Amino acid sequence: MLSALFGASTLELLSFNPPGWGATLARGLLASLQIAFGAYGLGLLIGMGGAYGKLYGGPVVRDLLEVYTTVVRAVPELVLILLLYYAGTDLINRLLDVFGYAPIDINGLVAGIGVLAFVQGAYATEVLRGAILGIPQGQIEAARAYGMPPGTMLRRITVPAMLPFAIPGMANLWLIATKDTALLAIVGFGELTQATRQAAGATKAYFTFFMAANILYLAVTLLSNVVLGRVERWSRRGMPATAGAGR
Amino acid sequence: MSEAILTTTPRQRALGWLQPHRVVLIAIAAALVLAAVFTMRWDWLPKYFDLAVQGVWRTIWLLIVTTLLGFVLAVPLGLVQVTGPWWLAAPARAFCTVIRGTPLLLQLWLLYYGLGSLFPQFPWIRESFLWPYLRQAWPYGVLALTLSYAGYEGEVMRGAFAGVPRGQLEAARAFGMRRWTILRRIWLPQAFYRALPTLTGETVLQLKATPLVATITMVDIYAVSSRVRQETFITYEPLLLLALVYLTITGILVFLFRKLEARIPARLG
């Protein structure tokens, strides 16, 4: 049975040399990681802006951000990706047309990062808003009393003080970002899942390739868990141990 | 801000909608909706209406079946991680890690294309009574979504089981309750109440995962919208309507879970 699952011939297909598809998978993994990093970083920026807007913005900004986070978190990523992928590229080309430029072909990598960042931004907004609310109010008031400008306060007080509250949620978001890159296969972007599908379709060794891709994703997750665990411990340095710390 | 909403009366909440800036925003939204209704193309709607209703029904059916089955699987998965012997706890933990560590889309394709391409090689599978089902797509979709929900929810239930105060279980034991009775009457209900707020979020996530089954030829509402797009070359209208459908289902889900949460007898210590 096992030999039927992983026949020696199908395992050879994973090798890096031309008859094997290993190099294709590796390139796919690299593209996936690139998108995940880009989307996560951009999502973090959107989230930071969103959290500040939700907490300190005017009533209109707050309501608009509420609509943004509610809609993005209620509609499937797949639908959002399709909508933004088509509508986004279409809109940019129409704008270019209005201003008299020739339409451009938008790079799949950039579009993928933009779309996923838009989704990540909504979740990051909620995580960071909660984390900023977790900071003891006195710390921010003390900073204000010292006459700190908002930028300095953000850098010296808000961000370091909210990190321990934000890291668990942000760690989760990173894992979601790596897994959500798989959805870009639906719009035909050549990341790991799409590369796997091509390889599996060409060789008919579906089980072997999907298994291999699953293992790659799992490896990314497990490696991330180790790193994120360290980051969380580092961000909690100097904080009193909590009841849940031992778990 | 959420606290402010919780403590307001219905009258105050109604007044909250009438703040000047909200009136303007609602007017803009209404204008956008009207513009969408009158300037976009909706003539395809009557033709595909029956198919769309079927699609919505299939999405909801898939959601209910997989959450119920997934929850039934999640209870033992969480329980053995808290109290079981290591040879049950370790596989349960590994299962949850693998499910949570890989994309659902890939799990789905592994089951449907991977296993599906292997099955025909074995004559005894082809001759078994299961074969007519194994040739269709929906068993794979249901299985993948169930396992995924069980993996995520198993982790939640582990925390919930571990969070029930020991005194409660000790009291039950002191009453001479048997282990199954303790689980049925004390441990499981209290763990369920604890898990309920997380359960809402997980179920919304599960709803958002259902359109993935369209990639293995199941015809849910997402697949219907893709078909409209391919047959009529209309891109945005079906997608916008689709987003609206999911928003509505999410709203109903959140409302139902709030009702359920409100029935929890008392605050837990």
Side-chain angles (χ1 to χ4, degrees):
Chain A
M1 175 100 178
L2 211 64
S3 63
L5 291 182
F6 297 105
S9 55
T10 58
L11 277 186
E12 271 168 27
L13 290 171
L14 291 173
S15 83
F16 272 81
N17 299 321
W21 289 76
T24 313
L25 291 196
R27 265 199 304 277
L29 179 64
L30 205 67
S32 282
L33 287 177
Q34 253 177 335
I35 295 176
F37 270 118
Y40 188 71
L42 203 56
L44 198 63
L45 287 181
I46 296 175
M48 204 64 214
Y52 254 72
K54 262 196 165 181
L55 288 172
Y56 306 117
V60 178
V61 172
R62 257 189 292 186
D63 278 5
L64 286 180
L65 284 171
E66 191 66 39
V67 170
Y68 164 58
T69 54
T70 310
V71 169
V72 169
R73 292 186 306 156
V75 176
E77 281 82 359
L78 197 52
V79 177
L80 286 175
I81 285 173
L82 279 183
L83 255 179
L84 297 172
Y85 208 83
Y86 292 131
T89 49
D90 196 40
L91 209 65
I92 289 173
N93 275 335
R94 275 193 202 172
L95 276 181
L96 286 176
D97 197 41
V98 166
F99 291 110
Y101 293 100
I104 51 165
D105 197 20
I106 289 167
N107 186 342
L109 187 73
V110 175
I113 287 177
V115 170
L116 284 186
F118 186 79
V119 177
Q120 285 267 316
Y123 287 92
T125 298
E126 292 296 317
V127 169
L128 294 177
R129 188 182 73 97
I132 292 176
L133 282 178
I135 304 174
Q137 204 53 40
Q139 298 198 6
I140 294 189
E141 277 165 18
R144 285 224 183 93
Y146 270 106
M148 252 188 212
T152 317
M153 193 171 83
L154 179 72
R155 190 163 47 83
R156 289 224 186 125
I157 312 292
T158 311
V159 169
M162 79 170 185
L163 265 187
F165 305 109
I167 293 269
M170 291 314 292
N172 237 343
L173 274 184
W174 162 250
L175 297 179
I176 291 174
T178 55
K179 286 184 287 169
D180 269 1
T181 56
L183 296 178
L184 292 175
I186 306 283
V187 287
F189 182 72
E191 44 66 68
L192 180 53
T193 304
Q194 173 72 2
T196 312
R197 184 158 67 161
Q198 278 171 354
T203 57
K204 303 288 174 223
Y206 289 100
F207 194 83
T208 312
F209 276 109
F210 285 135
M211 207 64 185
N214 263 326
I215 290 170
L216 285 179
Y217 277 111
L218 191 61
V220 171
T221 300
L222 293 179
L223 205 68
S224 303
N225 276 343
V226 173
V227 175
L228 292 169
R230 289 228 176 121
V231 172
E232 190 175 343
R233 267 205 302 282
W234 166 79
S235 76
R236 284 196 168 278
R237 72 207 186 283
M239 297 225 350
T242 55
R247 279 197 296 166
Chain B
M1 212 170 96
S2 56
E3 285 162 50
I5 289 168
L6 282 177
T7 52
T8 48
T9 62
R11 196 181 132 75
Q12 280 171 316
R13 212 175 305 153
L15 284 179
W17 285 102
L18 292 178
Q19 288 167 28
H21 76 277
R22 286 221 172 124
V23 172
V24 173
L25 283 180
I26 290 170
I28 293 174
L32 280 177
V33 169
L34 283 179
V37 168
F38 287 112
T39 62
M40 294 177 112
R41 285 188 53 192
W42 300 101
D43 50 323
W44 48 272
L45 208 52
K47 193 182 158 205
Y48 290 96
F49 187 74
D50 290 339
L51 201 61
V53 170
Q54 266 178 34
V56 171
W57 167 241
R58 191 158 298 169
T59 295
I60 292 174
W61 173 86
L62 197 61
L63 176 69
I64 293 173
V65 168
T66 56
T67 14
L68 287 182
L69 288 179
F71 187 75
V72 168
L73 262 179
V75 169
L77 274 174
L79 195 61
V80 296
Q81 285 186 62
V82 174
T83 176
W86 67 267
W87 47 270
L88 278 177
R93 188 164 307 140
F95 174 80
C96 288
T97 309
V98 169
I99 290 290
R100 289 165 4 115
T102 55
L104 176 58
L105 183 64
L106 212 53
Q107 294 166 14
L108 192 66
W109 287 356
L110 178 71
L111 287 177
Y112 181 67
Y113 296 110
L115 279 185
S117 71
L118 291 180
F119 282 149
Q121 296 172 5
F122 304 102
W124 59 269
I125 291 181
R126 262 208 316 257
E127 282 153 17
S128 76
F129 70 98
L130 282 173
W131 183 237
Y133 297 103
L134 290 177
R135 289 173 61 189
Q136 295 173 34
W138 67 266
Y140 298 95
V142 169
L143 181 65
L145 284 177
T146 302
L147 291 182
S148 157
Y149 193 75
Y152 283 92
E153 206 50 50
E155 198 69 18
V156 173
M157 286 314 286
R158 180 185 65 79
F161 277 122
V164 173
R166 293 198 68 80
Q168 298 268 358
L169 303 180
E170 280 161 13
R173 221 169 288 140
F175 268 106
M177 277 190 198
R178 274 168 303 173
R179 289 165 80 184
W180 282 110
T181 320
I182 294 178
L183 180 65
R184 192 162 49 84
R185 289 218 190 131
I186 312 289
W187 212 3
L188 185 57
Q190 294 206 17
F192 180 68
Y193 294 154
R194 273 166 198 282
L196 201 52
T198 328
L199 220 62
T200 315
E202 293 289 339
T203 310
V204 172
L205 286 182
Q206 181 77 351
L207 168 71
K208 290 167 47 176
T210 54
L212 293 180
V213 299
T215 60
I216 60 164
T217 71
M218 271 181 83
V219 186
D220 71 332
I221 181 65
Y222 174 84
V224 172
S225 110
S226 306
R227 201 169 127 189
V228 172
R229 206 172 63 236
Q230 278 156 15
E231 287 178 1
T232 62
F233 301 107
I234 300 172
T235 313
Y236 300 121
E237 288 84 345
L239 277 174
L240 285 176
L241 199 61
L242 185 64
L244 193 67
V245 167
Y246 280 112
L247 268 175
T248 314
I249 302 179
T250 307
I252 294 171
L253 263 184
V254 171
F255 173 77
L256 289 180
F257 268 98
R258 279 222 187 114
K259 287 259 156 195
L260 197 60
E261 268 178 63
R263 292 185 47 144
I264 293 183
R267 287 265 60 87
L268 301 154

